[in-house]
Amino acid sequence: MVRNLSLKLEDFEFKADLKPFSRDSTYGRIITEMRTEEGSVLQHAYLTTDGTHILFSRGIGSSYLDKDGNQVAKIIEVDEEGKEIPKTSSMYKSTINLGKTITIEEYSGYDVESTYVLNSENVEELTLLLLECKILLEKGQLFRFKYAYHDTIKPKEAILIPKDDYIIVVVGEYVPPTMLEVSQIIYEEVEEEEEEVLEQSDFDIW
Amino acid sequence: MKIHLAYENIDALLVLIPTHRHKKRIRRTPSGDEVIRQRYLVFDVNNRNETLSEEENIIQKLKESDDDIDVELAGKYINLTTRIVVNDNFTPVYNYMKYEVLLRPDGTLKERPHQLTLGNVNQSVPVRITNELIDPKECLMKYFFRKSYFITHTNGLTFKFLYDIAKKLSESGKFARLDAFHPETKKLQPLVLYDNGRKFPRAYIEGKTKGNSYCLILHLSDQELKIPEIQSGSDDEN
């Protein structure tokens, strides 16, 4: 089922959904198969340490126990100070206001975790947003909003990137640069190596 | 993780630290008491859905009994498990071949014997910072960067080496491309952090300086910023 986001930029508001795409959909997917000499395909399983049970991952469950060994029905996640980490509501529950932006420099502090194409039946509004994204990119900036598929204690950030006639939504987390210092400086010389002109490797995965 | 990095006529062994480090999750009871995670056995191979569904009149059997649950086993605490390879009869197999099967987006299949990918960042032939500079905006709008690492010094010598690189890059306002090489053939190849690791065909380095401090970030990409044919899939969290 397609879930719609409600996006708002200044005066206009419209519904849109996220169509996922990945590296696999561009270049293909490699699966490693294990086969016998006769060609039968084998599979992975898990052997318990006592050697008595062979399990598949779905056959292993997990739960949380308190210090007395009793099962705990509800657990919470806390920060280093022991305070409960509050949950961020799902982005599908309320209107997303596209008022916040990041600079291109800040975008380099994100590791891309997942990618989507913003899709909408409201073509006019989507085109308008695409135009706004392109104007913003000219200024070296990108729209961003909080990405939380479900209610979560670990929301990510979604960045809107205009690409041709589409808006790509990149999901990731920002980490600021860490500046490093040192007091001692020592020099050393190493023999120069011959420069070679080489072709770049391509993205083909085969 | 270490990286053997060369720039102009200098090379050095340095340390890579992931920019996005995994944060330890701290779980508690609602009253704040510590908890421990315990794994337990749900069912073994004899009670898999696939095995049960092969039985005759399985629906009727499940209505009349609890054949899908082995009360002697279910809930048994287990600790470490070892990953093994089994055949259709769930018998461990030790002698087998690995193959790589490629499924292309157009639906075509290709296969070949598994090829071990050797890590190439910490070997005798260093990863080289090239003179090819690229505007950060152009670079970030051309590739998706999946992983990034801080390149850090190990002593005063390597501090100076890295500080100088960071300063040059910072002043130029550009990213520099990195080239990685095959350990034996010395041919250019995608950057691979460890054996059988992911191949990154593009690697760029970003540098910043502030007073006597520097920051060098290695950005790795395995995907161009382009859209494949839009799929009809849903927006399920991936």
Side-chain angles (χ1 to χ4, degrees), chain A residues 3 18 20 23 27 29 31 33 35 43 45 47 59 61 63 65 76-78 105 111-112 173 180 182 184 186 190 199-201, chain B residues 9 20 25-26 28 36 38 40 42 73 82 84 86 97 99 101 103 111 145 148 156-157 159 188 202 208 214 222 224 234-235:
Chain A
R3 296 181 77 184
L18 300 172
R23 183 171 173 267
Y27 307 106
R29 183 179 175 212
I31 303 160
E33 274 188 3
R35 297 178 196 165
Q43 54 189 322
L47 182 70
S63 61
L65 308 178
I76 54 166
E77 293 210 21
V78 296
E105 194 182 354
D111 273 0
V112 177
E173 202 176 351
L180 300 168
V182 75
Q184 194 180 8
I186 305 163
V190 177
E199 286 180 13
Q200 286 187 32
S201 48
Chain B
N9 61 345
H20 292 66
R25 302 176 77 168
I26 309 169
R28 294 275 189 272
I36 54 161
Q38 176 64 56
Y40 59 87
V42 181
L73 286 181
T82 308
I84 57 170
V86 295
M97 295 278 288
Y99 287 86
V101 182
L103 176 62
E111 65 173 58
F145 288 96
S148 46
L157 180 74
F159 171 85
L188 192 73
R202 291 291 180 279
K208 297 172 194 288
Y214 77 94
D222 63 357
E224 292 156 287
S234 71
D235 57 346

Short mmCIF file of all heavy atoms in Angstrom, two decimals, chain A residues 3 18 20 23 27 29 31 33 35 43 45 47 59 61 63 65 76-78 105 111-112 173 180 182 184 186 190 199-201, chain B residues 9 20 25-26 28 36 38 40 42 73 82 84 86 97 99 101 103 111 145 148 156-157 159 188 202 208 214 222 224 234-235:
data_model
loop_
_atom_site.label_atom_id
_atom_site.label_comp_id
_atom_site.label_asym_id
_atom_site.label_seq_id
_atom_site.Cartn_x
_atom_site.Cartn_y
_atom_site.Cartn_z
N ARG A 3 1.88 4.84 0.90
CA ARG A 3 1.59 5.79 1.99
C ARG A 3 1.98 7.17 1.51
O ARG A 3 3.08 7.37 0.98
CB ARG A 3 2.36 5.42 3.25
CG ARG A 3 1.96 4.09 3.82
CD ARG A 3 2.73 3.79 5.08
NE ARG A 3 2.21 4.54 6.22
CZ ARG A 3 2.76 4.51 7.42
NH1 ARG A 3 3.84 3.81 7.63
NH2 ARG A 3 2.25 5.20 8.43
N LEU A 18 7.00 8.01 -1.64
CA LEU A 18 8.42 7.73 -1.89
C LEU A 18 8.56 6.38 -2.59
O LEU A 18 8.15 5.35 -2.05
CB LEU A 18 9.20 7.71 -0.58
CG LEU A 18 9.19 9.00 0.25
CD1 LEU A 18 9.84 8.77 1.61
CD2 LEU A 18 9.93 10.10 -0.49
N PRO A 20 11.09 3.64 -3.61
CA PRO A 20 12.49 3.29 -3.33
C PRO A 20 13.24 2.81 -4.56
O PRO A 20 12.66 2.18 -5.45
CB PRO A 20 12.37 2.16 -2.30
CG PRO A 20 11.03 1.57 -2.55
CD PRO A 20 10.16 2.64 -3.08
N ARG A 23 21.00 0.54 -5.44
CA ARG A 23 22.12 0.23 -6.34
C ARG A 23 21.76 -0.99 -7.19
O ARG A 23 22.09 -1.06 -8.36
CB ARG A 23 23.35 -0.05 -5.48
CG ARG A 23 24.60 -0.32 -6.23
CD ARG A 23 25.75 -0.34 -5.25
NE ARG A 23 26.95 -0.77 -5.93
CZ ARG A 23 27.37 -2.02 -5.99
NH1 ARG A 23 26.68 -2.97 -5.42
NH2 ARG A 23 28.48 -2.30 -6.64
N TYR A 27 22.44 -1.40 -11.21
CA TYR A 27 23.54 -2.24 -11.73
C TYR A 27 23.26 -3.74 -11.65
O TYR A 27 24.03 -4.53 -12.18
CB TYR A 27 24.83 -1.96 -10.94
CG TYR A 27 25.19 -0.50 -10.89
CD1 TYR A 27 25.03 0.23 -9.73
CD2 TYR A 27 25.69 0.15 -12.02
CE1 TYR A 27 25.34 1.58 -9.68
CE2 TYR A 27 26.00 1.50 -11.98
CZ TYR A 27 25.82 2.21 -10.80
OH TYR A 27 26.13 3.54 -10.76
N ARG A 29 22.11 -7.26 -9.08
CA ARG A 29 22.39 -7.78 -7.75
C ARG A 29 23.17 -9.08 -7.85
O ARG A 29 22.83 -9.94 -8.67
CB ARG A 29 21.04 -8.02 -7.05
CG ARG A 29 21.16 -8.49 -5.65
CD ARG A 29 19.77 -8.66 -5.07
NE ARG A 29 19.89 -9.24 -3.75
CZ ARG A 29 19.00 -10.05 -3.21
NH1 ARG A 29 17.94 -10.39 -3.90
NH2 ARG A 29 19.17 -10.53 -2.01
N ILE A 31 24.24 -12.52 -6.07
CA ILE A 31 23.95 -13.46 -4.98
C ILE A 31 25.05 -14.51 -5.00
O ILE A 31 25.40 -15.03 -6.06
CB ILE A 31 22.59 -14.15 -5.19
CG1 ILE A 31 21.48 -13.11 -5.32
CG2 ILE A 31 22.27 -15.13 -4.06
CD1 ILE A 31 20.24 -13.66 -5.99
N GLU A 33 26.02 -18.18 -4.34
CA GLU A 33 25.38 -19.48 -4.12
C GLU A 33 26.44 -20.52 -3.78
O GLU A 33 27.54 -20.50 -4.34
CB GLU A 33 24.65 -19.94 -5.39
CG GLU A 33 23.25 -19.40 -5.51
CD GLU A 33 22.49 -20.00 -6.68
OE1 GLU A 33 23.01 -20.90 -7.39
OE2 GLU A 33 21.38 -19.56 -6.90
N ARG A 35 27.19 -24.55 -3.99
CA ARG A 35 26.67 -25.72 -4.71
C ARG A 35 27.58 -26.93 -4.51
O ARG A 35 28.79 -26.78 -4.37
CB ARG A 35 26.61 -25.42 -6.21
CG ARG A 35 25.66 -24.29 -6.56
CD ARG A 35 25.70 -24.04 -8.04
NE ARG A 35 25.11 -22.75 -8.36
CZ ARG A 35 25.25 -22.15 -9.51
NH1 ARG A 35 25.98 -22.70 -10.47
NH2 ARG A 35 24.68 -20.99 -9.74
N GLN A 43 22.39 -24.31 1.49
CA GLN A 43 21.97 -23.12 2.23
C GLN A 43 22.67 -23.04 3.58
O GLN A 43 23.23 -24.02 4.06
CB GLN A 43 20.46 -23.10 2.42
CG GLN A 43 19.92 -24.36 3.06
CD GLN A 43 18.41 -24.42 3.03
OE1 GLN A 43 17.74 -23.41 3.20
NE2 GLN A 43 17.84 -25.59 2.83
N ALA A 45 22.73 -22.57 7.66
CA ALA A 45 21.92 -22.84 8.85
C ALA A 45 22.82 -22.59 10.06
O ALA A 45 24.00 -22.26 9.90
CB ALA A 45 21.43 -24.28 8.83
N LEU A 47 24.17 -24.04 13.83
CA LEU A 47 24.32 -25.20 14.70
C LEU A 47 24.54 -24.70 16.13
O LEU A 47 25.39 -23.83 16.36
CB LEU A 47 25.54 -26.03 14.24
CG LEU A 47 25.84 -27.31 14.99
CD1 LEU A 47 24.76 -28.37 14.71
CD2 LEU A 47 27.21 -27.86 14.60
N GLY A 59 14.12 -19.54 13.23
CA GLY A 59 13.89 -20.46 14.34
C GLY A 59 14.57 -20.01 15.64
O GLY A 59 14.57 -20.73 16.62
N GLY A 61 14.67 -17.00 18.46
CA GLY A 61 14.01 -15.81 18.99
C GLY A 61 14.88 -15.14 20.02
O GLY A 61 15.95 -15.66 20.37
N SER A 63 14.70 -12.41 23.69
CA SER A 63 13.90 -11.62 24.63
C SER A 63 14.87 -10.96 25.61
O SER A 63 16.07 -11.24 25.60
CB SER A 63 12.91 -12.51 25.36
OG SER A 63 13.60 -13.50 26.09
N LEU A 65 15.87 -10.16 29.63
CA LEU A 65 15.70 -10.67 30.99
C LEU A 65 16.21 -9.65 32.00
O LEU A 65 17.19 -8.93 31.72
CB LEU A 65 16.48 -11.98 31.18
CG LEU A 65 16.26 -13.10 30.15
CD1 LEU A 65 17.16 -14.28 30.47
CD2 LEU A 65 14.80 -13.54 30.13
N ILE A 76 12.80 -0.02 27.45
CA ILE A 76 12.94 1.33 26.89
C ILE A 76 14.41 1.52 26.52
O ILE A 76 15.28 0.82 27.05
CB ILE A 76 12.48 2.42 27.89
CG1 ILE A 76 13.23 2.27 29.24
CG2 ILE A 76 10.98 2.37 28.09
CD1 ILE A 76 13.08 3.46 30.14
N GLU A 77 14.67 2.46 25.63
CA GLU A 77 16.06 2.78 25.31
C GLU A 77 16.40 4.10 25.99
O GLU A 77 15.60 5.04 25.95
CB GLU A 77 16.26 2.88 23.80
CG GLU A 77 16.09 1.52 23.15
CD GLU A 77 16.93 1.33 21.90
OE1 GLU A 77 17.92 2.05 21.71
OE2 GLU A 77 16.58 0.45 21.11
N VAL A 78 17.58 4.13 26.59
CA VAL A 78 17.97 5.33 27.35
C VAL A 78 19.29 5.88 26.80
O VAL A 78 20.04 5.18 26.12
CB VAL A 78 18.14 5.00 28.86
CG1 VAL A 78 16.82 4.57 29.46
CG2 VAL A 78 19.20 3.93 29.09
N GLU A 105 27.95 21.78 1.65
CA GLU A 105 29.06 21.38 2.52
C GLU A 105 28.55 20.44 3.62
O GLU A 105 29.17 19.44 3.93
CB GLU A 105 29.71 22.62 3.13
CG GLU A 105 31.05 22.34 3.76
CD GLU A 105 31.66 23.57 4.39
OE1 GLU A 105 31.12 24.66 4.24
OE2 GLU A 105 32.70 23.41 5.06
N ASP A 111 26.10 10.03 5.28
CA ASP A 111 26.31 8.76 4.58
C ASP A 111 24.94 8.34 4.06
O ASP A 111 23.99 8.23 4.85
CB ASP A 111 26.85 7.69 5.53
CG ASP A 111 28.36 7.71 5.64
OD1 ASP A 111 28.98 8.55 4.97
OD2 ASP A 111 28.91 6.89 6.40
N VAL A 112 24.85 8.10 2.77
CA VAL A 112 23.54 7.76 2.18
C VAL A 112 23.14 6.35 2.59
O VAL A 112 23.86 5.39 2.33
CB VAL A 112 23.60 7.88 0.64
CG1 VAL A 112 22.28 7.45 0.02
CG2 VAL A 112 23.95 9.31 0.22
N GLU A 173 22.16 10.28 7.91
CA GLU A 173 22.34 10.94 9.20
C GLU A 173 23.56 11.84 9.11
O GLU A 173 24.58 11.43 8.54
CB GLU A 173 22.57 9.86 10.28
CG GLU A 173 22.25 10.29 11.65
CD GLU A 173 22.40 9.14 12.65
OE1 GLU A 173 22.59 7.98 12.23
OE2 GLU A 173 22.36 9.43 13.83
N LEU A 180 41.18 17.68 14.07
CA LEU A 180 42.23 17.02 14.86
C LEU A 180 43.44 17.93 15.03
O LEU A 180 43.84 18.61 14.09
CB LEU A 180 42.66 15.73 14.17
CG LEU A 180 41.56 14.69 13.95
CD1 LEU A 180 42.02 13.61 13.01
CD2 LEU A 180 41.11 14.10 15.27
N VAL A 182 47.60 18.37 16.83
CA VAL A 182 48.78 17.73 17.41
C VAL A 182 49.86 18.80 17.58
O VAL A 182 49.89 19.78 16.84
CB VAL A 182 49.30 16.58 16.53
CG1 VAL A 182 50.01 17.07 15.31
CG2 VAL A 182 50.14 15.61 17.32
N GLN A 184 53.47 18.10 17.95
CA GLN A 184 54.77 17.72 17.39
C GLN A 184 54.70 17.51 15.88
O GLN A 184 53.82 16.82 15.39
CB GLN A 184 55.24 16.43 18.05
CG GLN A 184 56.69 16.13 17.80
CD GLN A 184 57.10 14.83 18.47
OE1 GLN A 184 56.27 14.10 18.98
NE2 GLN A 184 58.38 14.56 18.44
N ILE A 186 57.15 16.30 12.61
CA ILE A 186 58.42 15.73 12.15
C ILE A 186 58.32 15.50 10.65
O ILE A 186 57.30 15.06 10.15
CB ILE A 186 58.74 14.39 12.86
CG1 ILE A 186 58.71 14.60 14.37
CG2 ILE A 186 60.07 13.84 12.41
CD1 ILE A 186 58.62 13.32 15.15
N VAL A 190 60.41 10.68 1.22
CA VAL A 190 60.21 9.37 0.59
C VAL A 190 60.49 9.52 -0.89
O VAL A 190 60.22 10.55 -1.49
CB VAL A 190 58.76 8.88 0.83
CG1 VAL A 190 58.50 7.56 0.14
CG2 VAL A 190 58.48 8.75 2.32
N GLU A 199 43.11 4.75 -16.57
CA GLU A 199 41.68 4.97 -16.76
C GLU A 199 40.94 4.67 -15.46
O GLU A 199 41.34 3.80 -14.70
CB GLU A 199 41.15 4.05 -17.86
CG GLU A 199 41.57 4.48 -19.23
CD GLU A 199 41.03 3.53 -20.29
OE1 GLU A 199 40.16 2.72 -19.98
OE2 GLU A 199 41.51 3.64 -21.43
N GLN A 200 39.84 5.37 -15.25
CA GLN A 200 39.06 5.13 -14.04
C GLN A 200 38.28 3.82 -14.18
O GLN A 200 37.91 3.43 -15.28
CB GLN A 200 38.04 6.24 -13.86
CG GLN A 200 38.64 7.53 -13.39
CD GLN A 200 37.57 8.55 -13.06
OE1 GLN A 200 36.50 8.20 -12.63
NE2 GLN A 200 37.88 9.79 -13.28
N SER A 201 38.05 3.16 -13.03
CA SER A 201 37.26 1.94 -13.07
C SER A 201 35.79 2.34 -13.16
O SER A 201 35.38 3.37 -12.65
CB SER A 201 37.50 1.10 -11.82
OG SER A 201 37.42 1.89 -10.68
N ASN B 9 55.12 12.85 -3.34
CA ASN B 9 56.22 11.91 -3.15
C ASN B 9 56.29 11.33 -1.73
O ASN B 9 57.31 10.83 -1.30
CB ASN B 9 57.55 12.57 -3.51
CG ASN B 9 57.82 13.77 -2.63
OD1 ASN B 9 56.91 14.25 -1.96
ND2 ASN B 9 59.04 14.24 -2.61
N HIS B 20 30.45 7.68 10.76
CA HIS B 20 29.18 7.28 11.36
C HIS B 20 29.41 6.02 12.18
O HIS B 20 29.20 4.91 11.69
CB HIS B 20 28.13 7.04 10.27
CG HIS B 20 27.74 8.30 9.56
ND1 HIS B 20 28.61 9.02 8.78
CD2 HIS B 20 26.58 8.98 9.56
CE1 HIS B 20 27.98 10.08 8.30
NE2 HIS B 20 26.76 10.08 8.76
N ARG B 25 23.43 0.67 21.92
CA ARG B 25 22.07 0.90 22.38
C ARG B 25 21.97 0.45 23.84
O ARG B 25 22.37 -0.65 24.18
CB ARG B 25 21.08 0.13 21.51
CG ARG B 25 21.19 0.52 20.05
CD ARG B 25 20.30 -0.30 19.18
NE ARG B 25 18.91 0.15 19.28
CZ ARG B 25 17.96 -0.27 18.44
NH1 ARG B 25 18.24 -1.13 17.49
NH2 ARG B 25 16.72 0.18 18.57
N ILE B 26 21.47 1.34 24.67
CA ILE B 26 21.32 1.00 26.08
C ILE B 26 19.84 0.75 26.36
O ILE B 26 19.02 1.64 26.19
CB ILE B 26 21.85 2.12 27.00
CG1 ILE B 26 23.28 2.52 26.58
CG2 ILE B 26 21.83 1.69 28.46
CD1 ILE B 26 23.80 3.79 27.24
N ARG B 28 16.80 -0.65 29.03
CA ARG B 28 16.47 -0.77 30.45
C ARG B 28 15.01 -1.20 30.59
O ARG B 28 14.22 -1.09 29.67
CB ARG B 28 16.64 0.60 31.13
CG ARG B 28 18.08 1.12 31.18
CD ARG B 28 18.82 0.56 32.37
NE ARG B 28 20.11 1.19 32.55
CZ ARG B 28 21.23 0.80 31.99
NH1 ARG B 28 21.24 -0.25 31.16
NH2 ARG B 28 22.36 1.41 32.22
N ILE B 36 19.38 -7.99 30.11
CA ILE B 36 20.29 -8.70 29.22
C ILE B 36 19.47 -9.38 28.12
O ILE B 36 18.33 -9.77 28.36
CB ILE B 36 21.17 -9.75 29.95
CG1 ILE B 36 20.30 -10.73 30.76
CG2 ILE B 36 22.22 -9.10 30.82
CD1 ILE B 36 21.03 -12.02 31.11
N GLN B 38 18.61 -12.35 25.71
CA GLN B 38 18.76 -13.82 25.72
C GLN B 38 18.13 -14.40 24.47
O GLN B 38 16.98 -14.12 24.16
CB GLN B 38 18.08 -14.40 26.97
CG GLN B 38 18.10 -15.90 27.03
CD GLN B 38 19.50 -16.48 27.15
OE1 GLN B 38 20.24 -16.12 28.06
NE2 GLN B 38 19.88 -17.34 26.21
N TYR B 40 16.71 -17.63 22.33
CA TYR B 40 16.11 -18.92 22.63
C TYR B 40 15.66 -19.61 21.34
O TYR B 40 15.51 -18.97 20.29
CB TYR B 40 14.94 -18.78 23.61
CG TYR B 40 13.83 -17.91 23.13
CD1 TYR B 40 12.80 -18.42 22.36
CD2 TYR B 40 13.80 -16.56 23.46
CE1 TYR B 40 11.77 -17.61 21.91
CE2 TYR B 40 12.78 -15.73 23.01
CZ TYR B 40 11.77 -16.26 22.23
OH TYR B 40 10.76 -15.47 21.77
N VAL B 42 13.16 -21.34 18.91
CA VAL B 42 11.72 -21.30 18.61
C VAL B 42 11.32 -22.64 17.97
O VAL B 42 10.39 -23.30 18.41
CB VAL B 42 11.37 -20.13 17.68
CG1 VAL B 42 9.86 -20.09 17.40
CG2 VAL B 42 11.82 -18.80 18.29
N LEU B 73 11.44 -28.40 23.11
CA LEU B 73 12.51 -27.54 22.58
C LEU B 73 12.21 -26.04 22.65
O LEU B 73 13.07 -25.25 23.01
CB LEU B 73 12.77 -27.89 21.10
CG LEU B 73 13.49 -29.17 20.78
CD1 LEU B 73 13.66 -29.29 19.27
CD2 LEU B 73 14.86 -29.21 21.45
N THR B 82 26.92 -21.60 15.50
CA THR B 82 27.93 -21.58 14.44
C THR B 82 27.21 -21.68 13.11
O THR B 82 26.31 -22.53 12.96
CB THR B 82 28.87 -22.80 14.59
OG1 THR B 82 29.34 -22.81 15.93
CG2 THR B 82 30.04 -22.74 13.62
N ILE B 84 26.70 -22.87 9.56
CA ILE B 84 27.15 -24.02 8.78
C ILE B 84 26.42 -24.05 7.44
O ILE B 84 25.45 -23.31 7.25
CB ILE B 84 26.93 -25.36 9.53
CG1 ILE B 84 25.44 -25.53 9.88
CG2 ILE B 84 27.80 -25.46 10.78
CD1 ILE B 84 25.08 -26.90 10.39
N VAL B 86 24.27 -26.48 4.85
CA VAL B 86 23.53 -27.74 4.85
C VAL B 86 22.90 -27.99 3.48
O VAL B 86 22.70 -27.06 2.71
CB VAL B 86 22.42 -27.74 5.93
CG1 VAL B 86 23.00 -27.69 7.32
CG2 VAL B 86 21.41 -26.61 5.72
N MET B 97 31.29 -25.68 -3.74
CA MET B 97 31.86 -24.59 -4.54
C MET B 97 30.96 -23.36 -4.38
O MET B 97 29.75 -23.50 -4.24
CB MET B 97 31.89 -24.97 -6.03
CG MET B 97 32.78 -26.13 -6.37
SD MET B 97 34.48 -25.60 -6.53
CE MET B 97 34.41 -24.71 -8.08
N TYR B 99 29.51 -19.89 -6.10
CA TYR B 99 29.28 -19.22 -7.38
C TYR B 99 28.65 -17.86 -7.14
O TYR B 99 27.91 -17.68 -6.16
CB TYR B 99 28.34 -20.05 -8.27
CG TYR B 99 28.99 -21.28 -8.83
CD1 TYR B 99 29.02 -22.46 -8.10
CD2 TYR B 99 29.61 -21.25 -10.08
CE1 TYR B 99 29.64 -23.59 -8.60
CE2 TYR B 99 30.23 -22.39 -10.58
CZ TYR B 99 30.24 -23.55 -9.84
OH TYR B 99 30.85 -24.66 -10.33
N VAL B 101 26.05 -15.25 -8.73
CA VAL B 101 24.98 -15.13 -9.73
C VAL B 101 24.57 -13.67 -9.79
O VAL B 101 24.20 -13.07 -8.78
CB VAL B 101 23.77 -16.01 -9.34
CG1 VAL B 101 22.68 -15.91 -10.41
CG2 VAL B 101 24.19 -17.46 -9.15
N LEU B 103 22.01 -10.96 -11.15
CA LEU B 103 20.68 -10.72 -11.73
C LEU B 103 20.63 -9.25 -12.14
O LEU B 103 20.62 -8.35 -11.29
CB LEU B 103 19.59 -11.02 -10.69
CG LEU B 103 18.15 -10.74 -11.13
CD1 LEU B 103 17.75 -11.57 -12.33
CD2 LEU B 103 17.19 -10.97 -9.98
N GLU B 111 26.47 -16.02 -14.41
CA GLU B 111 27.10 -16.60 -13.23
C GLU B 111 28.56 -16.94 -13.50
O GLU B 111 28.98 -17.09 -14.66
CB GLU B 111 26.34 -17.82 -12.74
CG GLU B 111 26.33 -19.02 -13.69
CD GLU B 111 25.69 -20.23 -13.02
OE1 GLU B 111 24.52 -20.11 -12.60
OE2 GLU B 111 26.35 -21.28 -12.95
N PHE B 145 27.28 8.89 -1.85
CA PHE B 145 28.39 8.45 -0.99
C PHE B 145 27.82 7.64 0.18
O PHE B 145 27.08 8.16 1.01
CB PHE B 145 29.23 9.64 -0.53
CG PHE B 145 30.05 10.20 -1.65
CD1 PHE B 145 29.59 11.27 -2.39
CD2 PHE B 145 31.23 9.59 -2.02
CE1 PHE B 145 30.31 11.75 -3.47
CE2 PHE B 145 31.96 10.06 -3.10
CZ PHE B 145 31.50 11.15 -3.83
N SER B 148 31.82 7.01 4.75
CA SER B 148 32.89 8.01 4.85
C SER B 148 33.71 7.74 6.11
O SER B 148 33.19 7.20 7.10
CB SER B 148 32.33 9.42 4.81
OG SER B 148 31.23 9.54 5.65
N GLY B 156 53.36 12.82 15.06
CA GLY B 156 53.58 14.18 14.57
C GLY B 156 53.90 14.22 13.08
O GLY B 156 53.52 15.15 12.36
N LEU B 157 54.59 13.20 12.62
CA LEU B 157 54.98 13.13 11.20
C LEU B 157 53.75 13.02 10.31
O LEU B 157 53.58 13.79 9.34
CB LEU B 157 55.88 11.90 11.02
CG LEU B 157 56.39 11.64 9.62
CD1 LEU B 157 57.47 12.64 9.26
CD2 LEU B 157 56.91 10.23 9.51
N PHE B 159 50.79 13.70 11.17
CA PHE B 159 49.93 14.87 11.37
C PHE B 159 50.28 15.94 10.33
O PHE B 159 49.39 16.49 9.67
CB PHE B 159 50.11 15.45 12.78
CG PHE B 159 49.41 16.77 12.96
CD1 PHE B 159 48.06 16.81 13.30
CD2 PHE B 159 50.09 17.97 12.77
CE1 PHE B 159 47.41 18.02 13.43
CE2 PHE B 159 49.44 19.18 12.89
CZ PHE B 159 48.09 19.21 13.24
N LEU B 188 44.79 -0.37 -11.76
CA LEU B 188 43.78 0.41 -11.06
C LEU B 188 42.54 -0.45 -10.81
O LEU B 188 42.12 -1.20 -11.69
CB LEU B 188 43.39 1.61 -11.93
CG LEU B 188 42.57 2.70 -11.27
CD1 LEU B 188 43.40 3.52 -10.31
CD2 LEU B 188 41.95 3.59 -12.34
N ARG B 202 34.46 4.78 -6.84
CA ARG B 202 34.87 6.18 -6.69
C ARG B 202 35.21 6.48 -5.23
O ARG B 202 34.45 6.12 -4.32
CB ARG B 202 33.76 7.13 -7.13
CG ARG B 202 33.48 7.13 -8.61
CD ARG B 202 34.61 7.75 -9.44
NE ARG B 202 34.26 7.71 -10.84
CZ ARG B 202 34.39 6.64 -11.62
NH1 ARG B 202 34.88 5.50 -11.13
NH2 ARG B 202 34.05 6.69 -12.90
N LYS B 208 39.72 19.99 5.40
CA LYS B 208 39.38 21.26 6.06
C LYS B 208 40.48 21.55 7.07
O LYS B 208 41.05 20.62 7.66
CB LYS B 208 38.07 21.15 6.85
CG LYS B 208 36.82 20.86 6.05
CD LYS B 208 35.68 20.60 7.03
CE LYS B 208 34.48 19.97 6.35
NZ LYS B 208 33.74 20.85 5.49
N TYR B 214 43.12 19.94 11.62
CA TYR B 214 42.70 19.56 10.27
C TYR B 214 41.61 18.50 10.35
O TYR B 214 41.39 17.87 11.39
CB TYR B 214 43.90 18.98 9.48
CG TYR B 214 44.23 17.56 9.89
CD1 TYR B 214 43.70 16.47 9.20
CD2 TYR B 214 45.02 17.31 11.01
CE1 TYR B 214 43.97 15.18 9.60
CE2 TYR B 214 45.29 16.02 11.41
CZ TYR B 214 44.76 14.95 10.70
OH TYR B 214 45.00 13.67 11.12
N ASP B 222 29.59 3.78 -4.40
CA ASP B 222 29.42 2.60 -5.26
C ASP B 222 28.18 2.78 -6.14
O ASP B 222 27.67 1.82 -6.69
CB ASP B 222 29.32 1.32 -4.43
CG ASP B 222 28.12 1.30 -3.51
OD1 ASP B 222 27.38 2.30 -3.47
OD2 ASP B 222 27.90 0.28 -2.84
N GLU B 224 26.19 5.75 -8.88
CA GLU B 224 26.05 7.07 -9.48
C GLU B 224 24.69 7.66 -9.11
O GLU B 224 23.74 6.92 -8.88
CB GLU B 224 26.15 6.97 -11.00
CG GLU B 224 27.53 6.57 -11.47
CD GLU B 224 27.49 5.92 -12.83
OE1 GLU B 224 27.05 4.76 -12.92
OE2 GLU B 224 27.89 6.57 -13.80
N SER B 234 6.24 -0.38 -3.55
CA SER B 234 5.68 0.54 -2.57
C SER B 234 6.81 1.26 -1.87
O SER B 234 7.98 1.05 -2.14
CB SER B 234 4.86 -0.24 -1.56
OG SER B 234 5.72 -0.99 -0.74
N ASP B 235 6.44 2.13 -0.95
CA ASP B 235 7.45 2.90 -0.23
C ASP B 235 7.78 2.26 1.11
O ASP B 235 8.06 2.93 2.06
CB ASP B 235 6.95 4.33 -0.03
CG ASP B 235 5.63 4.37 0.72
OD1 ASP B 235 4.99 3.31 0.83
OD2 ASP B 235 5.24 5.45 1.17
#
